[in-house]
Amino acid sequence: MKNNLNNGRRDFIKQTAIGVASGFSLQGGGFFNETEKLVSKKEAFGFAAQPVLANIGENQIEIIVAPNDYATAWVEYGEGKSLNLHANGSTHGLMPTSNRVMRFTISDLEPGKLYSYRVQLRRIVYHNKWKHDQIDEAASETQTFRTLDPNAATASFTCWNDTHENADTVVKLNALLKKQSSDFLLWNGDVTNDIHQEEQIVGQFLNPAGQAFATSTPLMINRGNHDVRGRDARYVRNYLSGPEEQDYYGFRQGPLACIVMDTGEDKPDNHSDYAGLTGFSQLRTRQADWLADLIEQPWFTSAPFKVAFLHIPLVWEAEVPERWPGVWGAGIQGWKCEDGYNKWHDLLVKSGIKLVISGHTHHHAYFPPNKERPYGQLIGGGPQPDQATCITGHADKKTLTINMTDLEGNNLKKLQFT
């Protein structure tokens, strides 16, 4: 996994567990909160969400675990069908415990290898401030995943965007994903509408519409502008983030180099909606510095094809729908990331990027390369089933093929780059 941090952090096994104390109450509406109910006497102990694979790399995988009661967990894993290895997630002498989320990063893997894994849970009951027992075990199904390999002959991916907690859309997208053979799923922003209460997060991001969507196809996440909204949006990174807890990063699978960048909010930081609590202009400036370094690295420059994933598109070159100026306000072209374009465009041109894949507008579109912009801009659809799109990509050493379909599998746009 390539990103802006020191990649020398390669312990034999590096696991981190993030736990939150028990005793919270659950409120709020929507189907996502149904998965967040605490275990009761009538509810069997187990998982609030099936394990989520995330941040796949050449040598590592993250496994995110959400129990439905206060518990500890560990991961059994191994090459092929074996489960002979054990990741206990201990940090600073303590095993992980939580009633919300535990995160395990396993870093002793090899590129392009198939691995099996299973998560074990054990409920913890405290009798006083320190005395406790472990009871009631639960185990996930045994699943498999394959690590990335920069030397692989091919690369394939699935990309979703702007699902906005729409249950019908998520269910249909997941059904398509199960039919696709993808090395990873890139969820390209606006997974949710907002995060007002931390108790929503498991249902919004780890168990959307009750779907076990990332048990074998690893998830790569990209924040959208709605994913940073709400009182408790700052807690999302405790549950799910990019590699090394970053929101922008790069990685390579076979002939395909991918860049994920965080476009931030869709209005200026000084807008009254944000009450002075956002600094996305600074974040976009930092990403420019990071991008300038990344595009010079050999793993990136040697890739036959290069694609960038940005939630908010850099350009919109069609007629602007009549209602859009009213959505963002006078003088704000919030349907595109002007600040990102100004800071990143020249670097993207220099990088040899073939395509920028975005969402945000809820209108699918494609703007082909031109003299000023040698990369194409592809934009996925919106949250309603009749608006939603699924974008897939497949690359070998000679050709990159991109397909955008509706939820019935009907082709909306097919692109080929050579």
Side-chain angles (χ1 to χ4, degrees), residues 298-340:
W299 70 267
F300 182 83
T301 59
S302 62
F305 299 102
K306 306 173 181 73
V307 172
F309 296 90
L310 287 68
H311 174 66
I312 302 178
L314 295 183
V315 297
W316 180 268
E317 296 172 347
E319 184 178 353
V320 175
E322 184 177 353
R323 72 181 189 88
W324 280 9
V327 170
W328 283 281
I332 302 175
Q333 296 186 20
W335 50 89
K336 59 183 180 179
C337 186
E338 293 182 281
D339 188 46

Coordinates of all heavy atoms in Angstrom, one line a residue, residues 298-340:
P298 N 8.4 5.1 -8.4 CA 8.5 4.1 -9.4 C 7.2 3.2 -9.5 O 6.8 2.8 -10.6 CB 9.7 3.3 -9.0 CG 10.5 4.3 -8.3 CD 9.6 5.1 -7.5
W299 N 6.6 2.8 -8.4 CA 5.4 2.0 -8.5 C 4.3 2.6 -9.3 O 3.5 1.9 -9.9 CB 4.9 1.6 -7.1 CG 4.3 2.7 -6.3 CD1 4.9 3.6 -5.5 CD2 2.9 3.1 -6.4 NE1 4.0 4.5 -5.0 CE2 2.8 4.3 -5.5 CE3 1.8 2.7 -7.1 CZ2 1.6 4.9 -5.3 CZ3 0.6 3.3 -6.9 CH2 0.5 4.4 -6.0
F300 N 4.3 3.9 -9.2 CA 3.2 4.7 -10.0 C 3.6 4.9 -11.4 O 2.9 4.7 -12.3 CB 2.9 6.0 -9.3 CG 1.9 6.8 -9.9 CD1 0.5 6.5 -9.6 CD2 2.2 7.8 -10.8 CE1 -0.5 7.3 -10.3 CE2 1.2 8.6 -11.4 CZ -0.2 8.3 -11.1
T301 N 4.8 5.4 -11.6 CA 5.2 5.8 -13.0 C 5.3 4.6 -13.9 O 5.1 4.7 -15.1 CB 6.6 6.5 -13.0 OG1 7.6 5.6 -12.4 CG2 6.6 7.8 -12.2
S302 N 5.5 3.4 -13.4 CA 5.7 2.2 -14.2 C 4.3 1.5 -14.5 O 4.3 0.6 -15.3 CB 6.6 1.2 -13.5 OG 6.0 0.7 -12.2
A303 N 3.2 2.0 -14.0 CA 1.9 1.4 -14.3 C 1.5 1.8 -15.7 O 1.5 3.0 -16.0 CB 0.9 1.9 -13.2
P304 N 1.0 0.9 -16.5 CA 0.5 1.2 -17.8 C -0.8 2.1 -17.7 O -1.0 2.9 -18.7 CB 0.1 -0.2 -18.4 CG 1.0 -1.2 -17.6 CD 1.1 -0.6 -16.3
F305 N -1.6 1.9 -16.7 CA -2.8 2.7 -16.6 C -2.9 3.4 -15.2 O -2.6 2.7 -14.2 CB -4.0 1.9 -16.9 CG -4.0 1.3 -18.2 CD1 -3.7 0.0 -18.5 CD2 -4.4 2.1 -19.3 CE1 -3.7 -0.6 -19.7 CE2 -4.4 1.6 -20.6 CZ -4.0 0.2 -20.8
K306 N -3.4 4.6 -15.2 CA -3.5 5.3 -13.9 C -4.9 5.9 -13.8 O -5.4 6.6 -14.8 CB -2.5 6.4 -13.8 CG -1.1 5.9 -14.0 CD -0.1 7.0 -14.1 CE 1.4 6.5 -14.3 NZ 1.6 6.0 -15.7
V307 N -5.6 5.7 -12.7 CA -7.0 6.2 -12.5 C -7.0 7.0 -11.1 O -6.4 6.5 -10.2 CB -8.0 5.1 -12.5 CG1 -9.4 5.6 -12.1 CG2 -8.1 4.5 -13.9
A308 N -7.8 8.1 -11.1 CA -8.0 8.8 -9.8 C -9.4 8.7 -9.4 O -10.3 8.8 -10.3 CB -7.5 10.2 -10.0
F309 N -9.7 8.5 -8.1 CA -11.0 8.5 -7.6 C -11.2 9.8 -6.7 O -10.5 9.9 -5.7 CB -11.3 7.2 -6.8 CG -11.2 6.0 -7.6 CD1 -10.0 5.3 -7.7 CD2 -12.3 5.4 -8.2 CE1 -9.9 4.1 -8.5 CE2 -12.3 4.3 -8.9 CZ -11.0 3.6 -9.1
L310 N -12.1 10.6 -7.1 CA -12.4 11.9 -6.3 C -13.9 11.9 -6.2 O -14.6 11.8 -7.2 CB -11.9 13.1 -7.1 CG -10.4 13.4 -7.1 CD1 -9.7 12.4 -8.0 CD2 -10.2 14.8 -7.7
H311 N -14.4 12.2 -5.0 CA -15.9 12.2 -4.9 C -16.5 13.4 -5.7 O -17.4 13.1 -6.5 CB -16.3 12.4 -3.4 CG -17.8 12.6 -3.3 ND1 -18.7 11.6 -3.6 CD2 -18.5 13.6 -2.9 CE1 -19.9 12.0 -3.4 NE2 -19.9 13.3 -3.0
I312 N -16.1 14.6 -5.5 CA -16.6 15.7 -6.3 C -15.8 15.8 -7.6 O -14.6 15.8 -7.6 CB -16.5 17.0 -5.5 CG1 -17.3 16.9 -4.2 CG2 -17.1 18.2 -6.3 CD1 -17.2 18.1 -3.3
P313 N -16.5 15.9 -8.8 CA -15.7 16.0 -10.0 C -14.9 17.3 -10.1 O -15.3 18.3 -9.5 CB -16.8 15.9 -11.1 CG -18.1 16.3 -10.4 CD -17.9 15.9 -8.9
L314 N -13.9 17.2 -10.9 CA -13.1 18.4 -11.2 C -13.7 19.3 -12.2 O -13.5 20.5 -12.2 CB -11.7 18.0 -11.6 CG -10.9 17.3 -10.5 CD1 -9.5 17.0 -11.1 CD2 -10.8 18.0 -9.2
V315 N -14.5 18.8 -13.1 CA -15.1 19.6 -14.2 C -16.6 19.1 -14.4 O -16.9 18.0 -14.1 CB -14.3 19.4 -15.5 CG1 -12.9 20.0 -15.4 CG2 -14.3 18.0 -16.0
W316 N -17.3 20.1 -14.9 CA -18.7 19.8 -15.4 C -18.8 20.6 -16.7 O -18.9 21.8 -16.7 CB -19.8 20.2 -14.4 CG -21.1 19.9 -14.9 CD1 -22.0 20.8 -15.6 CD2 -21.8 18.7 -14.8 NE1 -23.1 20.2 -15.9 CE2 -23.1 18.9 -15.4 CE3 -21.5 17.4 -14.3 CZ2 -24.0 17.8 -15.5 CZ3 -22.5 16.4 -14.3 CH2 -23.7 16.6 -15.0
E317 N -18.9 19.9 -17.8 CA -18.9 20.6 -19.1 C -20.2 20.4 -19.9 O -20.2 20.4 -21.1 CB -17.7 20.0 -19.9 CG -16.4 20.4 -19.3 CD -15.2 19.8 -19.9 OE1 -15.3 18.8 -20.7 OE2 -14.0 20.2 -19.6
A318 N -21.3 20.2 -19.2 CA -22.6 20.1 -19.8 C -23.5 21.3 -19.2 O -23.0 22.0 -18.4 CB -23.3 18.8 -19.5
E319 N -24.7 21.4 -19.7 CA -25.6 22.4 -19.2 C -25.8 22.1 -17.7 O -26.0 21.0 -17.3 CB -26.9 22.3 -20.0 CG -28.0 23.3 -19.6 CD -29.2 23.2 -20.4 OE1 -29.3 22.4 -21.4 OE2 -30.2 23.9 -20.1
V320 N -25.9 23.2 -17.0 CA -26.1 23.1 -15.6 C -27.6 23.1 -15.3 O -28.3 24.0 -15.7 CB -25.4 24.3 -14.8 CG1 -25.8 24.3 -13.4 CG2 -23.9 24.3 -15.0
P321 N -28.1 22.1 -14.6 CA -29.5 22.0 -14.3 C -30.0 23.3 -13.6 O -29.3 23.9 -12.8 CB -29.6 20.8 -13.4 CG -28.5 19.9 -13.8 CD -27.4 20.8 -14.2
E322 N -31.2 23.7 -13.9 CA -31.7 25.0 -13.4 C -31.6 25.1 -11.9 O -31.4 26.2 -11.4 CB -33.1 25.2 -13.9 CG -33.7 26.5 -13.6 CD -35.1 26.7 -14.2 OE1 -35.5 25.8 -15.0 OE2 -35.8 27.7 -13.9
R323 N -31.9 24.0 -11.2 CA -32.0 24.2 -9.7 C -30.7 24.2 -9.0 O -30.6 24.5 -7.8 CB -32.8 23.0 -9.2 CG -32.2 21.7 -9.2 CD -33.1 20.6 -8.6 NE -32.4 19.3 -8.4 CZ -31.7 19.0 -7.3 NH1 -31.7 19.9 -6.3 NH2 -31.1 17.9 -7.2
W324 N -29.6 23.8 -9.7 CA -28.3 23.7 -9.0 C -27.8 25.0 -8.4 O -27.3 25.0 -7.2 CB -27.2 23.1 -10.0 CG -27.3 21.6 -10.1 CD1 -28.3 20.8 -9.7 CD2 -26.4 20.8 -10.8 NE1 -28.1 19.5 -10.0 CE2 -26.9 19.4 -10.7 CE3 -25.2 21.0 -11.5 CZ2 -26.3 18.4 -11.3 CZ3 -24.6 19.9 -12.1 CH2 -25.1 18.6 -12.0
P325 N -27.8 26.1 -9.1 CA -27.3 27.3 -8.4 C -28.1 27.6 -7.1 O -27.5 28.2 -6.2 CB -27.5 28.4 -9.5 CG -27.5 27.7 -10.8 CD -28.1 26.3 -10.5
G326 N -29.3 27.3 -7.1 CA -30.1 27.5 -5.9 C -29.7 26.6 -4.7 O -29.8 27.0 -3.5
V327 N -29.2 25.4 -5.1 CA -28.8 24.4 -4.0 C -27.6 25.0 -3.3 O -27.5 24.9 -2.1 CB -28.5 23.1 -4.7 CG1 -27.9 22.1 -3.7 CG2 -29.8 22.4 -5.2
W328 N -26.6 25.5 -4.0 CA -25.4 25.9 -3.4 C -25.3 27.4 -3.0 O -24.5 27.8 -2.2 CB -24.2 25.5 -4.3 CG -23.9 24.1 -4.2 CD1 -23.2 23.4 -3.2 CD2 -24.3 23.0 -5.1 NE1 -23.2 22.1 -3.4 CE2 -23.8 21.8 -4.6 CE3 -25.0 23.0 -6.3 CZ2 -24.0 20.6 -5.2 CZ3 -25.2 21.8 -6.9 CH2 -24.7 20.6 -6.4
G329 N -26.1 28.2 -3.7 CA -26.1 29.6 -3.4 C -25.3 30.4 -4.5 O -24.5 29.9 -5.2
A330 N -25.6 31.7 -4.5 CA -25.0 32.6 -5.5 C -23.5 32.5 -5.5 O -22.8 32.6 -4.4 CB -25.5 34.0 -5.2
G331 N -22.9 32.4 -6.6 CA -21.4 32.4 -6.8 C -20.7 31.1 -6.4 O -19.5 31.1 -6.5
I332 N -21.4 30.1 -6.0 CA -20.8 28.8 -5.6 C -21.2 27.7 -6.6 O -22.3 27.4 -6.7 CB -21.3 28.4 -4.2 CG1 -20.9 29.5 -3.1 CG2 -20.6 27.1 -3.8 CD1 -21.4 29.2 -1.7
Q333 N -20.2 27.2 -7.3 CA -20.4 26.2 -8.2 C -20.1 24.8 -7.6 O -19.1 24.2 -7.9 CB -19.5 26.4 -9.5 CG -19.9 27.6 -10.2 CD -19.1 27.8 -11.6 OE1 -18.6 26.8 -12.1 NE2 -19.1 29.0 -12.1
G334 N -21.0 24.5 -6.6 CA -20.7 23.3 -5.8 C -20.8 22.0 -6.4 O -20.5 21.0 -5.8
W335 N -21.2 21.9 -7.7 CA -21.3 20.7 -8.4 C -19.9 20.2 -8.9 O -19.8 19.1 -9.5 CB -22.2 20.8 -9.6 CG -22.0 22.0 -10.5 CD1 -21.2 22.0 -11.6 CD2 -22.6 23.3 -10.3 NE1 -21.2 23.3 -12.1 CE2 -22.1 24.1 -11.4 CE3 -23.5 23.8 -9.4 CZ2 -22.5 25.4 -11.6 CZ3 -23.9 25.1 -9.6 CH2 -23.4 25.9 -10.7
K336 N -18.9 21.0 -8.7 CA -17.5 20.6 -9.1 C -16.6 21.2 -8.0 O -16.9 22.1 -7.3 CB -17.1 21.1 -10.5 CG -17.2 22.6 -10.7 CD -16.9 23.0 -12.1 CE -17.0 24.5 -12.3 NZ -16.6 24.9 -13.7
C337 N -15.4 20.6 -8.0 CA -14.4 21.0 -6.9 C -13.4 22.0 -7.6 O -12.3 21.6 -8.1 CB -13.7 19.8 -6.4 SG -12.6 20.1 -5.0
E338 N -13.7 23.3 -7.6 CA -12.9 24.3 -8.2 C -11.5 24.4 -7.5 O -10.5 24.5 -8.2 CB -13.6 25.6 -8.2 CG -14.9 25.7 -9.1 CD -15.5 27.0 -9.1 OE1 -16.2 27.4 -8.1 OE2 -15.3 27.8 -10.0
D339 N -11.5 24.4 -6.2 CA -10.3 24.5 -5.5 C -9.4 23.3 -5.8 O -8.2 23.4 -6.0 CB -10.5 24.5 -4.0 CG -9.3 24.9 -3.2 OD1 -8.5 25.8 -3.6 OD2 -9.1 24.2 -2.1
G340 N -10.0 22.1 -5.8 CA -9.2 20.9 -6.2 C -8.6 21.0 -7.6 O -7.5 20.6 -7.9

